[in-house]
Amino acid sequence: IARAISLVVDTPLILDTALGQSVPVKFSARNADGFPGSVAWTLKVSDNQGLAVWQSSGTGNPPDPIIWDGKTKDGSWIVGLQRFTARWEMSGAALDGEVVVEKDFMTGIPVVSEGGRLRIIAPDILFEGNNPDPFAGDASQIDSNIDLLRRLGRQLARVSDHRIVIEGYATYVKGDDPKSMAREQKYELVPLSRERAHEVRKSLFTIGVDWKQMEIIAKGGSDPVAPYDDKSQAWKNRRVIMYLEG
């Protein structure tokens, strides 16, 4: 019986955050020989720190599926792009010792509808000044970019019915004279933001995302999220954001 058991985890690939907090996750424990009534089972879910966040238990044949509504022991709700481990434990007279099966899984891509397309809700991929490389500069930001790209790439590689639009941005640094800003936008910021989007596209491709499924757009210094003349905040404009279309 132990050799035949498998654990299947099903979580929505795309999570519309406008629909509420619930992120239902479905688990199916499968065994060709069934589950004897004398067997006790427990399904435990822990986060990427190893902390238990939810569990279910019973005897004999488990429900198929076992549904977790996404609410953790402390009353909080899980969100998109979180990593978890599901642990299936069985014990009883019909078994030769305890049976344990583990399965790692990740929740889906959180999105919100914006202008007729779906914006991926995740921390922005940020950059050093005048640099298109997401893996250069401050060590903590590099680690954040690497972690986010790995998590996003793993899930985006499963997306088959949407185009992935990668928008690159930059920030003005040469003052607020309209003519100077126009030149800076055309000759410096648009090319720089295009390179940033391209570098992210290359990174996602190495993780397994289809190159042709991705499109890059250079936004330059447009749509700032922070005042470009505030040196303590302007770094937030050096970013890449992503959308799902189609």
Side-chain angles (χ1 to χ4, degrees):
I1 185 170
R3 291 192 299 271
I5 294 174
S6 63
L7 183 63
V8 178
V9 182
D10 178 25
T11 182
L13 179 56
I14 298 175
L15 307 176
D16 188 341
T17 57
L19 298 180
Q21 293 178 306
S22 179
V23 183
V25 182
K26 299 178 181 180
F27 304 91
S28 295
R30 297 175 181 171
N31 180 50
D33 300 322
F35 297 89
S38 60
V39 170
W41 57 265
T42 301
L43 174 62
K44 300 178 180 179
V45 176
S46 57
D47 64 16
N48 65 338
Q49 302 299 315
L51 299 176
V53 296
W54 179 83
Q55 76 172 46
S56 179
S57 60
T59 58
N61 286 314
D64 188 11
I66 301 169
I67 299 177
W68 174 30
D69 64 0
K71 196 171 187 178
T72 65
K73 287 182 175 180
D74 64 6
S76 62
W77 295 88
I78 63 175
V79 296
L81 298 176
Q82 281 189 280
R83 290 184 289 247
F84 295 94
T85 298
R87 179 182 174 94
W88 178 261
E89 301 175 353
M90 291 176 54
S91 61
L95 302 175
D96 183 17
E98 185 182 45
V99 176
V100 176
V101 178
E102 290 189 339
K103 180 83 170 184
D104 294 331
F105 68 97
M106 184 184 298
T107 51
I109 304 167
V111 299
V112 63
S113 182
E114 187 177 281
R117 55 184 182 165
L118 299 175
R119 177 174 175 176
I120 295 176
I121 304 302
D124 292 336
I125 299 167
L126 299 173
F127 298 81
E128 286 290 289
N130 200 35
N131 195 329
D133 186 355
F135 311 124
D138 179 76
S140 63
Q141 186 58 57
I142 293 172
D143 290 343
S144 176
N145 286 348
I146 291 173
D147 179 65
L148 178 59
L149 284 167
R150 282 176 175 168
R151 287 184 289 140
L152 262 178
R154 177 178 168 183
Q155 296 297 63
L156 288 172
R158 298 170 54 205
V159 173
S160 60
D161 54 353
H162 291 79
R163 287 187 301 113
I164 301 162
V165 179
I166 305 168
E167 292 187 351
Y169 291 83
T171 191
Y172 291 98
V173 296
K174 296 185 176 180
D176 57 4
D177 174 72
K179 290 185 178 180
S180 174
M181 290 177 67
R183 288 193 297 270
E184 187 178 6
Q185 170 76 342
K186 181 176 181 179
Y187 295 109
E188 297 181 43
L189 302 189
V190 166
L192 176 58
S193 64
R194 181 179 295 109
E195 287 184 69
R196 286 173 172 163
H198 179 68
E199 289 300 315
V200 168
R201 186 187 193 186
K202 288 198 303 183
S203 296
L204 291 173
F205 175 70
T206 63
I207 296 170
V209 183
D210 185 349
W211 182 270
K212 294 181 180 179
Q213 194 176 357
M214 295 181 283
E215 173 188 351
I216 63 172
I217 296 178
K219 303 289 283 188
S222 61
D223 304 327
V225 294
Y228 58 81
D229 56 354
D230 182 347
K231 302 302 182 183
S232 67
Q233 298 293 319
W235 58 270
K236 297 177 181 178
N237 298 323
R238 305 190 299 257
R239 68 200 194 279
V240 159
I241 62 176
M242 291 181 237
Y243 291 86
L244 298 178
E245 294 185 353

